[in-house]
């Protein structure tokens, strides 16, 4: 089971009359708590009451805002991939999209930094894949397949331009993406073995630099 930190947006319950929380803040708390719970325990193992407790909200609030547990899972998936897509588009807006090498580097860095910020992303997808079924099929069609097709493009462009070794672009994509996301689901190992805190932005930037350098030297040809 991946080691995942507790939901950082969770607020411990305090006695007395609870303070009024704005709807947007309620929604943010619930989505963060739900994504973290689904990542740690899977869909079946995560209860709405536990998610509400993690978010510091009443159970009825989740029902009011999202409806069913299945609807909440879909909303959490859309939110996770929405955050990744926003980070990706922001990063790609700063590079020449006709330069596949620059695009590849920007994609890898955006993926690393997003995974550092939301470390339960990898485990959420892993749990869905292990469970299979209709929820996973929805995840594939609505989020995974479009992201895969878009992010894979520069790897094919680099190979077709003779700027990458004769590796299968699908393998390079899987290698770079898993390396970009996976370590953040195992942050306890980095903390215990290397004394590193992967949620630290500077550490995540240095990790992104290392991963990009490995890809450039191991997979790409010199210009």
């Amino acid at each position: 089971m991946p080691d995942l930190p507790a939901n950082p947006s969770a607020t411990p319950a305090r006695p007395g009359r609870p303070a009024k929380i704005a709807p947007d803040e309620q929604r943010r708390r619930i989505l963060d708590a739900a994504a973290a719970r689904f990542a740690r325990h899977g869909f079946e193992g995560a209860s709405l009451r536990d998610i509400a407790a993690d978010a510091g909200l009443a159970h009825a609030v989740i029902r009011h805002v999202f409806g069913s547990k299945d609807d909440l899972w879909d909303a959490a998936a859309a939110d996770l991939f929405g955050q990744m897509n926003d980070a990706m588009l922001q990063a790609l807006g700063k590079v020449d999209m006709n330069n596949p090498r620059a695009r590849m580097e920007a994609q890898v860095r955006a993926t690393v930094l997003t995974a550092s910020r939301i470390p339960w992303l990898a485990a959420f997808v892993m749990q869905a894949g292990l469970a299979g079924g209709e929820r996973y099929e929805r995840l594939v069609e609505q989020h995974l397949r479009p992201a895969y097709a878009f992010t894979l493009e520069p790897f094919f462009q680099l190979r077709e331009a003779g700027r990458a070794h004769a590796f299968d672009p699908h393998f390079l994509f899987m290698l770079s993406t898993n390396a970009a996301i996976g370590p953040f689901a195992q942050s306890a190992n980095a903390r215990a073995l290397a004394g590193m805190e992967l949620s630290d932005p500077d550490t995540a930037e240095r990790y992104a630099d290392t991963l990009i350098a490995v890809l450039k030297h191991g997979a790409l040809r010199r210009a």
Side-chain angles (χ1 to χ4, degrees), residues 25-198:
E25 175 64 16
Q26 288 183 349
R27 184 177 180 86
R28 181 74 269 149
R29 286 192 188 187
I30 294 168
L31 287 172
D32 287 345
R37 274 277 167 183
F38 289 136
R40 289 196 301 270
H41 304 289
F43 181 82
E44 298 299 336
S47 74
L48 291 183
R49 291 193 181 279
D50 286 338
I51 292 169
D54 289 347
L57 298 168
H59 172 238
V61 174
I62 294 182
R63 293 285 188 186
H64 174 73
V65 176
F66 291 99
S68 70
K69 181 178 170 182
D70 207 54
D71 290 335
L72 176 58
W73 189 93
D74 284 341
D79 182 68
L80 286 174
F81 280 88
Q83 291 186 63
M84 178 63 79
N85 290 342
D86 288 346
M88 190 74 69
L89 291 175
Q90 183 175 1
L92 293 178
K94 301 175 183 178
V95 302
D96 179 2
M97 290 292 283
N98 293 317
N99 183 338
R101 183 167 179 157
R103 179 178 168 183
M104 181 273 291
E105 292 183 25
Q107 289 179 178
V108 170
R109 187 175 302 279
T111 303
V112 168
L113 298 182
T114 304
S116 173
R117 185 168 52 83
I118 45 174
W120 45 82
L121 173 64
F124 184 97
V125 175
M126 182 191 73
Q127 289 280 11
L130 289 172
E134 292 184 4
R135 275 184 299 278
Y136 180 63
E137 292 174 4
R138 292 199 302 271
L139 186 71
V140 169
E141 293 305 316
Q142 295 175 12
H143 305 294
L144 288 177
R145 198 182 304 283
Y148 188 79
F150 177 80
T151 313
L152 188 61
E153 289 176 359
F155 293 95
F156 273 104
Q157 292 169 349
L158 285 163
R159 191 180 71 169
E160 291 168 0
R163 298 178 62 189
H165 294 291
F167 301 133
D168 189 322
H170 293 276
F171 291 166
L172 291 178
F173 169 85
M174 286 184 264
L175 176 67
S176 64
T177 302
N178 288 325
I181 295 176
F184 299 96
Q186 299 285 349
S187 57
N189 288 342
R191 194 178 305 115
L193 301 176
M196 290 183 177
E197 185 54 65
L198 294 181

